[in-house]
């Protein structure tokens, strides 16, 4: 249950500090109130966010690097592999969140079913993930804008985007759910339109009537040999290098399950949202990269966004190649809106995550300071400071900086997924030890517990192999090594440090808490009134 807070002026007095990460789910929608989190997210909010909430630059722009590095088939196989990990993580987290839709999501579950050290570790990794992805999105926005204007410094575009994002966040979280519903709707319409257009262009329906088919799978080929390394080793290295970019595209999907504390009737809507993951994984991501691999050759120079001059999404390149004049600018504008939306969410989530860490005693108490309207202004200002890392693109190129931050975010996200999988494995054993039949759960997957083990082992292996090409003779790159393995080292460092500090043992299976807070959140759940007409039914 969320702690009671009394606001006085610009600060908050915490009357009762919780023993778990009870307020971390505040990142999704609600501002602080003395009555705790409020269930403001409606059916249509969670449904649309589950489908299009984290569709962004990872799919629209990051696939350029993925195609150039791995080739069409290498990229497709990487997205299929990481997509399978994403799905197993989601069904694991969804089973816990539907059964216990309590504030804090996987952070609370980690403390209840593993130990406080894992909750501390996942909390800081989660904050780090959202804080680092913010400059990545701003760098991506500058890359997109340079499609129209390459003469103006990227610092100008980053500053403009940052001002917009800061302004929205200063106004608070009241309209966050509605805004994300609208943005996600636009993103879904954009990607669906691009998939249909891509299929038409591939079959020769464009202005040039060029039927492409699988031409680019034959020449330059289905795979790319990484750095010219021949044979199966070169293809495997290329495939493994794409895995981190694929992970960057999928990271954030778990927000749907973590939103359990703000969802009305979570025992119905969380399972529905988990099932919607099929749509995103198969149609948008797998379908999107498949279409991209058909339309654009992997040796197209415009795919190299790292040089700071190329500024086109693979979708835009394909439309350009087809000879359609106005549409590339329209699609690029939609991609820019997507980057803005993602950056706005990143700042909101990171600031609330930092506030939650402070409230639980895992960060300095200064981050608890609030404005009279409940805005955690110190946390917001601190997290905004990370946005200035995006200005590194002025000397290194927006595309290269985007790649650095995308890699760091992907590895941190994979580490969090690993923690979620470990938490589920213990959750599953705890249910069995206490005689709770999984058939009574509001959502369960027949793939468990094997899916949990697959997710844990798979996430660890992907993170471990992410940058191993740098250890080959003549392929050392300091920036790749740092961005690939520094975030991975954070997990053991944070966990061991917290373990030594708390000295708390693993929670015994027979003592796991499956009840606290459950009745309160279920009592607070309310059904939306039934739609009065067909318009409201479609809107919902």
């Amino acid at each position: 249950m969320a702690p009671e807070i009394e606001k006085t002026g610009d600060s908050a007095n915490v009357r009762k500090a919780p023993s778990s990460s009870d307020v971390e789910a505040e990142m999704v929608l609600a501002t602080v109130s003395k009555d705790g989190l409020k269930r403001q997210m409606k059916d249509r909010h969670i449904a649309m966010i589950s489908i299009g909430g984290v569709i962004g630059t990872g799919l629209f722009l990051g696939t350029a690097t993925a195609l150039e590095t791995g080739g069409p088939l290498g990229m497709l196989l990487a997205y299929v592999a990481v997509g399978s990990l994403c799905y197993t993580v989601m069904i694991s987290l969804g089973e816990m969140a539907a059964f216990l839709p309590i504030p804090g999501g996987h952070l609370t579950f980690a403390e209840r079913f593993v130990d406080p050290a894992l909750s501390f570790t996942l909390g800081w990794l989660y904050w780090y993930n959202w804080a680092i992805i913010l400059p990545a999105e701003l760098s991506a926005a500058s890359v997109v804008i340079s499609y129209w204007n390459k003469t103006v410094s990227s610092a100008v575009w980053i500053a403009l985007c940052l001002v917009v994002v800061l302004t929205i966040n200063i106004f608070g979280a009241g309209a966050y759910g509605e805004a994300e519903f609208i943005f996600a709707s636009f993103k879904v319409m954009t990607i669906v339109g691009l998939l249909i257009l891509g299929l038409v262009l591939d079959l020769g329906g464009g202005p040039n009537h060029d039927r492409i088919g699988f031409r680019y799978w034959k020449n330059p080929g289905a795979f790319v040999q990484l750095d010219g390394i021949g044979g199966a080793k070169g293809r495997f290295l290329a495939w493994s290098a794409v895995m981190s970019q694929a992970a960057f595209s999928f990271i954030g999907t778990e927000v749907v399950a973590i939103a359990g504390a703000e969802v009305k009737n979570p025992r119905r809507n969380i399972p529905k949202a988990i099932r919607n993951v099929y749509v995103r994984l198969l149609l948008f991501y797998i379908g999107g990269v498949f279409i991209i691999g058909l339309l654009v050759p992997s040796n197209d120079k415009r795919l190299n966004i790292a040089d700071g001059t190329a500024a086109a999404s693979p979708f835009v390149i394909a439309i350009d190649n087809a000879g359609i004049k106005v549409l590339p600018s329209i699609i690029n504008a939609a991609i820019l809106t997507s980057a803005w939306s993602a950056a706005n969410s990143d700042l909101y989530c990171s600031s609330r995550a930092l506030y939650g860490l402070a409230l639980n005693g895992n960060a300095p108490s200064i981050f608890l300071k609030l404005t009279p309207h409940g805005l955690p202004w110190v946390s917001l200002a601190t997290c905004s400071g990370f946005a200035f890392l995006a200005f590194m693109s002025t000397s290194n190129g927006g595309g290269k900086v985007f790649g650095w931050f995308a890699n760091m975010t992907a590895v941190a996200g994979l580490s969090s997924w690993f923690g979620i999988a470990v938490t589920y494995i213990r959750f599953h054993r705890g249910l069995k030890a206490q005689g709770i039949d999984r058939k009574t759960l509001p959502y369960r997957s027949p793939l468990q517990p094997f899916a949990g083990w697959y997710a844990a082992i798979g996430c660890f292996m992907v993170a471990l192999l992410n940058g191993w090409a740098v250890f080959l003779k003549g392929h050392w790159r300091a920036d790749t090594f740092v961005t690939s393995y520094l975030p991975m080292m954070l997990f053991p460092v944070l966990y061991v440090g917290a373990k030594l500090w708390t000295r708390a043992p693993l929670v015994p299976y027979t003592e796991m808490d499956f009840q606290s807070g459950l009745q309160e959140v279920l009592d607070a759940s309310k059904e939306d009134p039934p739609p009065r007409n067909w318009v409201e039914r479609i809107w919902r």
Side-chain angles (χ1 to χ4, degrees):
M1 186 165 60
E4 189 175 348
I5 300 173
E6 182 181 68
K7 290 190 294 182
T8 56
D10 291 341
S11 63
N13 297 322
V14 181
R15 293 183 179 176
K16 182 178 69 174
S19 61
S20 65
S21 306
D22 282 352
V23 299
E24 201 71 276
E26 187 180 2
M27 63 184 184
V28 181
L29 180 63
T31 53
V32 181
S33 71
K34 67 178 182 179
D35 299 321
L37 298 175
K38 296 182 179 180
R39 295 184 177 275
Q40 299 173 341
M41 296 187 75
K42 302 177 181 178
D43 292 9
R44 59 185 175 86
H45 292 158
I46 196 67
M48 186 55 70
I49 290 175
S50 70
I51 295 174
V54 294
I55 294 176
T57 52
L59 178 61
F60 290 126
L61 186 64
T63 44
T65 302
L67 179 58
E68 183 187 39
T69 303
L73 185 54
M75 176 178 64
L76 179 62
L77 292 177
Y79 270 77
V80 168
V82 178
S84 68
L85 291 177
C86 177
Y87 178 71
T88 53
V89 169
M90 285 296 293
I91 60 176
S92 301
L93 183 55
E95 191 168 309
M96 294 186 289
F99 177 59
L100 289 169
I102 53 180
H106 67 302
L107 309 182
T108 302
F109 300 146
E111 183 161 347
R112 287 195 181 191
F113 307 137
V114 185
D115 63 4
L118 183 62
S119 179
F120 173 88
T121 303
L122 293 181
W124 277 106
L125 276 175
Y126 199 72
W127 169 80
Y128 168 88
N129 184 71
W130 288 109
I132 291 297
I133 201 174
L134 173 59
E137 297 290 356
L138 293 175
S139 298
S142 70
V143 172
V144 172
I145 295 175
S146 64
Y147 175 79
W148 295 292
N149 191 320
K150 295 182 176 65
T151 59
V152 179
S153 171
S154 60
V156 176
W157 309 127
I158 292 172
L160 288 175
C161 294
L162 181 56
V163 168
V164 172
V165 170
L166 275 174
T167 302
I168 295 174
N169 272 268
I170 287 173
F171 278 101
Y176 180 79
E178 204 66 53
E180 282 306 301
F181 172 79
I182 295 171
F183 279 128
S185 300
F186 277 122
K187 287 188 282 188
V188 168
M189 287 187 289
T190 299
I191 188 62
V192 169
L194 287 173
L195 290 176
I196 295 173
L197 177 62
L199 188 60
V200 171
L201 294 178
D202 186 67
L203 296 177
N208 57 9
H209 301 294
D210 181 17
R211 191 179 189 281
I212 301 173
F214 284 85
R215 178 191 308 166
Y216 299 132
W217 287 48
K218 299 175 183 177
N219 183 24
F223 283 97
V224 171
Q225 307 292 138
L226 185 70
D227 289 341
I229 300 174
K233 181 167 72 171
R235 291 190 292 272
F236 176 78
L237 286 172
W239 172 75
S240 63
V242 176
M243 296 282 271
S244 63
Q245 180 55 55
F248 173 74
S249 299
F250 287 113
I251 295 300
T253 308
E254 67 276 5
V255 167
V256 175
I258 295 167
E262 283 91 17
V263 179
K264 296 181 180 180
N265 196 5
R267 289 203 158 188
R268 185 193 70 189
N269 290 325
I270 292 295
K272 284 171 60 179
I274 298 300
R275 295 184 184 102
N276 282 340
V277 173
Y278 282 116
V279 178
R280 190 192 314 178
L281 293 180
L282 295 177
L283 178 61
F284 298 152
Y285 285 106
I286 307 303
V289 298
F290 176 70
I291 292 295
I292 288 171
L294 293 177
L295 296 176
V296 182
S298 58
N299 58 0
D300 192 306
K301 300 299 183 183
R302 290 169 292 179
L303 292 172
N304 183 18
I305 64 173
D307 65 4
T309 58
S313 160
F315 290 108
V316 176
I317 294 174
I319 297 170
D320 265 337
N321 292 342
I324 304 175
K325 298 298 181 183
V326 181
L327 195 55
S329 291
I330 297 176
I331 298 302
N332 240 35
I335 296 172
L336 177 60
T337 303
S338 173
W340 264 340
S341 169
N344 178 51
S345 298
D346 299 338
L347 181 55
Y348 183 86
C349 294
S350 61
S351 62
R352 270 48 176 194
L354 184 57
Y355 175 84
L357 285 167
L359 192 58
N360 294 319
N362 292 329
S365 59
I366 191 174
F367 296 117
L368 294 173
K369 288 185 176 293
L370 303 171
T371 66
H373 300 290
L375 181 72
W377 66 273
V378 176
S379 296
L380 182 63
T382 302
C383 295
S384 299
F386 282 82
F388 290 94
L389 292 173
F391 286 100
M392 289 193 300
S393 62
T394 58
S395 58
N396 294 287
K400 181 179 289 187
V401 173
F402 170 74
W404 290 343
F405 288 127
N407 209 24
M408 295 173 72
T409 298
V411 176
L414 287 168
S415 300
S416 293
W417 283 4
F418 171 80
I420 291 171
V422 170
T423 302
Y424 176 80
I425 292 169
R426 288 186 54 83
F427 167 82
H428 187 276
R429 291 181 175 178
L431 290 176
K432 184 178 294 185
Q434 296 189 23
I436 300 175
D437 190 352
R438 287 182 66 244
K439 294 180 180 179
T440 63
L441 302 184
Y443 173 79
R444 69 183 187 278
S445 170
L447 301 177
Q448 298 292 7
F450 308 107
W453 281 103
Y454 171 76
I457 297 172
C459 290
F460 176 77
M461 292 304 298
V462 171
L464 183 65
L465 296 176
N466 172 48
W468 78 295
V470 299
F471 299 109
L472 297 177
K473 185 177 181 180
H475 290 82
W476 173 260
R477 293 176 182 170
D479 58 342
T480 302
F481 175 79
V482 171
T483 57
S484 297
Y485 292 109
L486 179 62
M488 189 177 180
M489 292 303 299
L490 286 176
F491 191 101
V493 169
L494 289 172
Y495 182 78
V496 172
K499 195 74 173 176
L500 293 174
W501 180 262
T502 61
R503 302 284 182 178
L506 292 176
V507 179
Y509 295 121
T510 55
E511 297 179 14
M512 289 181 178
D513 183 4
F514 293 105
Q515 296 297 328
S516 295
L518 178 59
Q519 192 58 48
E520 290 89 338
V521 295
L522 292 180
D523 291 342
S525 301
K526 294 181 180 179
E527 292 276 3
D528 282 342
R532 294 169 295 182
N533 50 56
W534 66 270
V535 176
E536 288 189 358
R537 188 174 294 108
I538 294 175
W539 180 250
R540 182 168 300 181

